[in-house]
């Protein structure tokens, strides 16, 4: 058994990530999505203009201007598509370029008719993908551009009415899209959290644990830091259930989950991965840190005052470069857990990672 003072591993602090201009949009799961939509939007605009030009028109003097706008829209679509613009670049090019083309159409259209309604296209596209502060910026840009185009058209009567009508109508539509997107994103986030959360203990469930372990191993691969996995199993839990009932068992699980939270660092991933099995993923924790953490949890669990004494056993595995896979490090921790069980329970053991990773020696008895 590991002897000595139980000292907490150093708490790690994470720098607050810079907020992305791109909103947490439901369905926006790949950078190419914005590129495809922006390109198709501009291409659809070019096709729409060319189709409109085929309709009978008493004043065809604006047709040359619209043909130029159609060509520019098609070129913009090609630049976004073949230029492999992704993410924020594709969104901003689609929005700003689209606003410019619509303003050019407002300037050349005779009569102006419903041309200004096409501001809906780039603005709704931006409203779907961008955070609200950026949406405010692109809306302001659109209305400044619209006002400039109208100012260059002294032939248009009731320009103020046209401006106000377009601004109010389109702005309301943009606000509705932003509101609905935020609501849907909130719902999707809630459903996702529910899908990876154990309802009894509030810890991450098996699915969330596997995702987190993959993520931390990938992060360690980039940084070169060690990553540790600790697997816990409550000893004789079935006997507790059979003797005192499932309600007592549930209370024991909840109490152990609280103990884990008190013992862990902020940012460590804590999970319930089975009936009475728990796990902790410790980033930037070496073998000594991880074993100290496991031993501290084992000791605190032994000291709990409960109806029936319930101890816990733990298995520890540490991955270093070249890093093991998720299954390899989990198997190593699981084997260490069962070594602790065979050694008499209520203890922690340090396991052995696969041969292609750094091998840890067995822990102290």
């Amino acid at each position: 058994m590991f002897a000595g003072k139980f000292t907490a591993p150093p708490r790690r602090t994470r720098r607050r990530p810079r907020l992305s201009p791109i909103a947490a949009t439901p369905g926006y799961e790949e950078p190419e999505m914005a590129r495809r939509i922006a390109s198709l939007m501009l291409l659809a605009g070019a096709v729409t203009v060319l189709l409109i030009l085929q309709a009978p028109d008493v004043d065809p003097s604006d047709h040359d201007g619209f043909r130029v706008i159609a060509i520019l829209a098609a070129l913009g679509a090609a630049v976004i598509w073949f230029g492999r613009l992704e993410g924020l670049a594709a969104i901003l090019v689609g929005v700003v370029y689209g606003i410019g083309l619509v303003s050019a159409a407002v300037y050349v259209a005779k009569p102006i008719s419903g041309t200004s309604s096409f501001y809906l296209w780039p603005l709704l596209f931006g409203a779907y993908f961008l955070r609200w502060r950026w949406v405010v910026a692109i809306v302001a840009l659109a209305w400044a551009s619209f006002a400039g185009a109208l100012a260059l058209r002294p032939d248009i009567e009731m320009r103020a009415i046209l401006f106000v009508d377009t601004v109010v109508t389109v702005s309301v539509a943009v606000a509705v899209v932003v509101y609905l997107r935020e609501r849907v994103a909130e719902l999707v986030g809630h459903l996702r959290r529910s899908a990876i959360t154990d309802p009894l203990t509030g810890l991450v469930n098996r699915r969330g644990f596997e995702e987190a372990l993959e993520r931390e191993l990938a992060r360690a691969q980039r940084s070169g830091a060690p990553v540790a996995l600790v697997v816990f199993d409550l000893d004789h839990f079935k006997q507790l259930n059979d003797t005192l009932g499932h309600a007592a068992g549930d209370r024991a699980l909840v109490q152990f989950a609280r103990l884990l939270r008190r013992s862990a660092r902020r940012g460590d991933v804590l999970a319930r991965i089975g009936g009475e099995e728990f796990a902790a993923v410790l980033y930037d924790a070496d073998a000594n840190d991880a074993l100290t953490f496991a031993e501290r949890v084992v000791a605190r669990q032994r000291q709990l005052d409960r109806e029936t004494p319930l101890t816990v056993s733990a298995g520890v595995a540490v991955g270093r470069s070249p890093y093991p896979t998720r299954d390899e490090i989990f198997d190593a921790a699981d084997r260490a857990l069962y070594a602790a069980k065979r050694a008499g329970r209520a203890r922690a053991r340090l396991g052995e990672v696969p041969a292609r990773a750094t091998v840890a020696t067995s822990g102290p008895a």
Side-chain angles (χ1 to χ4, degrees):
M1 180 71 71
F2 181 86
K5 183 180 179 181
F6 294 108
T7 57
R11 288 186 178 272
R12 71 178 188 272
T13 58
R14 295 183 178 177
R15 296 179 65 182
R16 188 175 181 179
R18 188 175 181 180
L19 194 62
S20 170
I22 300 176
T25 303
Y28 183 67
E29 299 168 349
E30 53 177 324
E32 288 198 355
M33 183 178 180
R35 178 179 66 87
R36 291 196 301 265
I37 294 177
S39 183
L40 290 174
M41 177 183 68
L42 290 174
L43 182 61
V47 172
T48 301
V49 169
L50 293 176
L51 289 176
I52 291 175
L53 292 179
Q54 304 308 309
D57 191 349
V58 295
D59 183 7
S61 62
D62 58 359
H63 284 202
D64 288 341
F66 272 113
R67 289 190 185 96
V68 173
I69 291 172
I71 292 172
L72 291 175
L75 287 175
V79 167
I80 293 175
W81 185 267
F82 295 107
R84 308 299 296 178
L85 297 180
E86 295 181 353
L88 183 61
I91 295 169
L92 291 181
V93 170
V95 171
V96 175
Y97 194 68
I99 289 172
L101 291 176
V102 176
S103 297
V106 169
Y107 174 70
V108 303
K110 295 179 182 179
I112 192 169
S113 188
T115 306
S116 60
S117 65
F118 282 94
Y119 282 110
L120 277 169
W121 289 29
L123 291 181
L124 292 183
F125 170 68
Y128 182 78
F129 283 109
L130 296 173
R131 295 188 183 275
W132 69 268
R133 290 185 179 86
W134 285 69
V135 174
V136 171
I138 64 172
V139 167
L141 173 65
W143 300 148
S145 178
F146 184 33
L150 289 178
L152 296 174
R153 290 289 304 272
D155 57 308
I156 299 177
E157 298 179 356
M158 298 185 295
R159 283 179 293 177
I161 293 177
L162 175 62
F163 180 79
V164 172
D165 180 61
T166 303
V167 167
V168 171
T169 302
V170 176
S171 297
V172 168
V174 168
V176 169
V177 169
V178 172
Y179 174 76
L180 292 178
R181 183 203 68 204
E182 294 293 331
R183 293 291 294 169
V184 173
E186 183 181 344
L187 177 60
V188 170
H190 175 73
L191 292 175
R192 173 164 174 76
R193 288 190 296 273
S194 297
I196 62 172
T197 302
D198 174 55
L200 177 64
T201 63
L203 301 181
V204 173
N205 62 15
R206 180 64 179 251
R207 174 183 172 183
F209 158 75
E210 291 178 350
E211 292 178 0
L213 183 55
E214 288 273 18
R215 185 172 61 250
E216 294 300 324
L217 285 169
R219 184 174 166 220
Q221 189 86 34
R222 294 190 299 269
S223 67
V227 59
L229 172 64
V230 185
V231 179
F232 299 95
D233 186 90
L234 293 174
D235 300 322
H236 303 299
F237 182 76
K238 185 178 183 301
Q239 180 180 344
L240 174 67
N241 264 343
D242 293 342
T243 304
L244 299 177
H246 291 285
D250 287 348
R251 288 193 296 272
L253 295 172
V254 171
Q255 190 161 6
F256 182 72
R258 290 173 183 161
L259 187 154
L260 270 183
R261 289 193 185 94
R262 291 196 305 270
S263 304
R265 305 169 300 179
R266 184 175 59 183
D268 291 337
V269 180
L270 306 176
R272 181 187 176 198
I273 59 175
E276 67 273 21
E277 290 183 284
F278 294 79
V281 183
L282 315 176
Y283 179 75
D284 198 14
D286 59 20
N288 184 63
D289 291 336
L291 188 59
T292 297
F293 166 76
E295 288 283 3
R296 185 170 66 255
V297 172
V298 168
R300 289 178 176 176
Q301 176 67 21
R302 189 188 299 113
Q303 294 165 2
L304 287 178
D305 182 18
R306 198 186 286 112
E307 306 136 6
T308 298
L310 190 66
T311 58
V312 66
S313 299
V316 178
V318 179
R320 288 182 176 275
S321 180
Y323 292 91
T325 65
R326 181 192 71 191
D327 291 339
E328 287 171 343
I329 193 171
F330 182 80
D331 288 344
D334 203 42
R335 288 193 299 271
L337 170 65
Y338 281 96
K341 293 277 191 182
R342 289 192 298 270
R345 296 182 172 83
R347 65 199 66 214
R349 285 291 182 267
L350 182 61
E352 204 175 82
V353 292
R356 69 185 184 88
T358 301
V359 179
T361 58
S362 62

